[in-house]
Amino acid sequence: MTSTESVQKPAPKDPWDLPDVSGLVVGVLGGTGDQGRGLAYRLARAGQKVIIGSRAAERARSAADGIGFGVEGADNAECARRSDVVIVAVPWEGHGKTLESLREELAGKLVVDCVNPLGFDKKGAYALKPEEGSAAEQAAALLPDSRVAAAFHHLSAVLLQDENVEEIDTDVMVLGEERADVEIVQALAGRIPGMRGVFSGRLRNAHQVESLVANLISVNRRYKAHAGLRVTDV
């Protein structure tokens, strides 16, 4: 190459060029609760292989039969072992204990935390701040051998479970440390009609994303709605 020839730089990666995730098995811990069951239903309806987990395998199997679309039910440990990506949708009160008990089964997995630490009093919902900073950061601390991302916080369980709703008109804020993991979660969100996954920072920024659910609860109560979010200009 002569001195007059310039070095051709590779084109920047298109942030919307996301991987094919259709072959991944998605587990949902807490899949018998409203949020978990709704996510399982939407992903399975979109063609994803889904396993829901519960502390009681029989309860998980019963919930899976109610969802249909080939969803299977298992106890939490089996759900974690058999899944490529595991969504954590358990109640905040049991979050730490559940993940700690599944550390071995979740090793090497992509774990997507969607838990919102909230308290409630006569004034309504308010955000709690875990010692680690957020539920997602607590998950990362408890699961050193897993890859932890955070997403699916702001979705209405009512809309997710409503069979008559064809599209969920919302963006999903996705946080994580590794671009490849974030893009897998974005792609999973994008499989649900109307939904889009948007990269929103690293796990250290998860607290304000989790906390925003308290604001959405206030919106929903005032306007009798099932509010979601849209990120503009991206």
Side-chain angles (χ1 to χ4, degrees):
M1 182 174 66
T2 68
S3 59
T4 58
E5 291 177 313
S6 60
V7 177
Q8 186 71 30
K9 291 184 178 180
K13 186 180 186 301
D14 181 351
W16 298 111
D17 181 15
L18 301 174
D20 178 8
V21 295
S22 59
L24 296 179
V25 178
V26 177
V28 184
L29 302 180
T32 58
D34 289 341
Q35 193 80 359
R37 188 165 60 244
L39 280 168
Y41 166 66
R42 287 292 162 178
L43 288 167
R45 179 170 163 171
Q48 206 74 37
K49 174 60 184 174
V50 177
I51 304 171
I52 61 173
S54 176
R55 286 177 295 178
E58 191 55 46
R59 187 179 176 203
R61 284 192 284 268
S62 176
D65 290 343
I67 295 170
F69 294 98
V71 175
E72 295 183 45
D75 63 45
N76 282 332
E78 182 183 349
C79 172
R81 280 193 299 269
R82 292 178 56 196
S83 302
D84 302 304
V85 178
V86 179
I87 298 173
V88 181
V90 300
W92 167 241
E93 293 74 18
H95 181 263
K97 186 176 180 180
T98 299
L99 295 184
E100 195 170 20
S101 71
L102 297 171
R103 182 176 294 159
E104 183 177 340
E105 290 83 0
L106 291 171
K109 310 284 185 178
L110 174 54
V111 177
V112 186
D113 203 295
C114 72
V115 175
N116 304 303
L118 297 175
F120 295 86
D121 61 18
K122 63 182 181 180
K123 294 182 179 181
Y126 60 94
L128 304 175
K129 189 158 188 179
E131 182 179 345
E132 298 84 355
S134 65
E137 288 169 295
Q138 184 183 88
L142 292 172
L143 304 172
D145 298 318
S146 303
R147 295 130 51 213
V148 176
F152 302 115
H153 301 90
H154 306 137
L155 306 180
S156 163
V158 173
L159 294 183
L160 287 174
Q161 295 181 83
D162 190 337
E163 297 179 2
N164 296 315
V165 174
E166 296 292 331
E167 297 188 0
I168 306 293
D169 182 24
T170 192
D171 284 335
V172 172
M173 301 181 79
V174 184
L175 303 97
E177 300 302 317
E178 299 295 333
R179 180 166 183 161
D181 293 336
V182 168
E183 290 181 345
I184 288 172
V185 183
Q186 287 182 267
L188 283 172
R191 297 210 73 201
I192 300 172
M195 200 174 289
R196 183 179 66 158
V198 180
F199 170 65
S200 303
R202 295 179 179 269
L203 289 185
R204 68 181 184 180
N205 292 320
H207 171 66
Q208 56 264 39
V209 173
E210 297 169 2
S211 300
L212 190 57
V213 173
N215 302 89
L216 290 176
I217 289 172
S218 296
V219 170
N220 290 336
R221 285 181 173 174
R222 174 63 61 89
Y223 298 103
K224 311 300 182 190
H226 303 294
L229 296 177
R230 278 294 186 198
V231 180
T232 63
D233 201 34
V234 292

